[in-house]
Amino acid sequence: MTLPMPTPISVPMSVPMSASAATASPSKLIAALCATALGLALLAIAPSASAIKPTDPSPGGPLATTPSVEASIRKSLEVVFKDPKAITSIAPTPVAGIYEITVDRQVIYTDATGRFVIQGQILDIAAGQNLTKARLDQIAAADVIDFAALPTDLAIRYGPAKPINGRAIAVFEDPYCVYCRQFRQTLMGMKDLTVYVYLLPVIRPESVKTARDVWCSKDRAAAWNDWMLGQKPPAAAPITCQFPQEKLEKLARDLRVRSTPISFVPSGVRLVGAMPADRVEEALAAAKR
């Protein structure tokens, strides 16, 4: 019996470097938590909406978390997640005493006290089902955006002006994001792909200046590639040039983008981190169905 395995959980991406523990993004806080918990890592994509119901693989009816258990878990983890809204849901799993926590579309597991953080997949051997994969599939299906509504006037475009056979991707990138550079190389090597790059300068203080210089260049696409792939600094932007930083930050907030690279395909499905070309192709193919 072969159990389906979920998407690999270690996804290269960058988070803001300057945030303090009290204000850091949930993604960075989770990474810090798991690093201190004997190197335990994160599961990949997590739900963005608390309305998503937990899976119910048991015949005993819907699973529920008692108020006392939820309060205990939240209290234990508040030292890591300073924002009380960071944890969007807490739900029990079919495994007695193990609870699923969703934070910023990521998933971690814990015990009823919130003291231990657990990495791994829950496999129902009797049913031949990977419950973790089923949960992640459920999350991914619910966490989609309206790709057609993206403001392309705020993006730097590469490739065909009109996507060929729906082959398009929108990517949020930071000038100093190492994994963005890696992902950029991957995308540039893909055939007939329209790429919309949204500048999200969040990693370093100097990210804003570099992003503005690129945006104000005569050839934005060339300037961005020169910087990301060749480390060639763009020319200084004229004082009169307006960089739409606030609009880009609002767009990122609306789409719940808090790290880079984060990308979207025409189906509205979110891709987290520097995905390999075959994974991007799979997402693009699925978008056509």
Side-chain angles (χ1 to χ4, degrees):
M1 174 176 60
T2 301
L3 295 170
M5 304 301 284
T7 298
I9 65 175
S10 181
V11 182
M13 61 182 174
S14 298
V15 296
M17 300 289 287
S18 59
S20 67
T23 59
S25 68
S27 298
K28 184 175 182 180
L29 289 171
I30 291 179
L33 172 64
C34 293
T36 57
L38 298 178
L40 295 178
L42 300 171
L43 292 173
I45 304 170
S48 59
S50 58
I52 301 176
K53 295 180 180 179
T55 52
D56 179 24
S58 66
L63 299 172
T65 304
T66 64
S68 60
V69 169
E70 179 167 348
S72 177
I73 292 174
R74 287 185 180 277
K75 182 173 179 59
S76 295
L77 295 182
E78 67 182 9
V79 65
V80 177
F81 305 111
K82 302 296 183 180
D83 182 359
K85 297 181 180 179
I87 298 177
T88 55
S89 69
I90 299 175
T93 69
V95 182
I98 302 301
Y99 294 79
E100 173 196 283
I101 302 175
T102 64
V103 183
D104 194 23
R105 285 171 309 284
Q106 299 182 26
V107 173
I108 56 178
Y109 291 104
T110 187
D111 66 314
T113 68
R115 176 181 176 183
F116 300 98
V117 176
I118 305 168
Q119 173 198 16
Q121 304 157 24
I122 299 178
L123 308 177
D124 186 336
I125 302 302
Q129 183 182 12
N130 186 323
L131 301 183
T132 299
K133 183 180 184 301
R135 176 66 170 134
L136 294 176
D137 288 346
Q138 179 190 37
I139 290 166
D143 186 24
V144 297
I145 68 164
D146 183 355
F147 189 90
L150 289 173
T152 55
D153 60 311
L154 295 179
I156 299 175
R157 180 182 57 78
Y158 293 86
K162 183 177 181 181
I164 299 174
N165 296 323
R167 289 177 59 80
I169 189 169
V171 191
F172 284 81
E173 299 182 2
D174 179 282
Y176 292 91
C177 169
V178 175
Y179 295 116
C180 294
R181 292 173 184 157
Q182 177 183 324
F183 195 41
R184 169 138 301 281
Q185 291 178 328
T186 297
L187 296 180
M188 295 301 290
M190 298 179 65
K191 186 178 179 180
D192 297 332
L193 181 64
T194 298
V195 181
Y196 301 102
V197 175
Y198 292 90
L199 302 179
L200 186 61
V202 295
I203 293 180
R204 299 184 184 178
E206 55 266 39
S207 291
V208 175
K209 180 185 183 305
T210 303
R212 181 174 181 273
D213 289 344
V214 168
W215 181 262
C216 296
S217 299
K218 291 183 179 180
D219 187 337
R220 295 169 180 169
W224 187 243
N225 261 357
D226 285 346
W227 169 252
M228 294 299 281
L229 302 181
Q231 291 296 281
K232 179 182 177 181
I239 298 177
T240 56
C241 179
Q242 299 296 315
F243 172 50
Q245 180 180 353
E246 292 184 0
K247 291 182 179 179
L248 287 165
E249 290 177 347
K250 182 180 185 302
L251 177 63
R253 287 195 301 272
D254 291 344
L255 299 177
R256 300 177 301 282
V257 172
R258 299 181 179 89
S259 60
T260 57
I262 296 293
S263 52
F264 300 90
V265 292
S267 62
V269 170
R270 177 188 310 256
L271 304 180
V272 180
M275 295 289 183
D278 59 341
R279 290 283 307 283
V280 178
E281 289 289 0
E282 289 176 6
L284 292 171
K288 297 178 183 179
R289 299 178 191 142

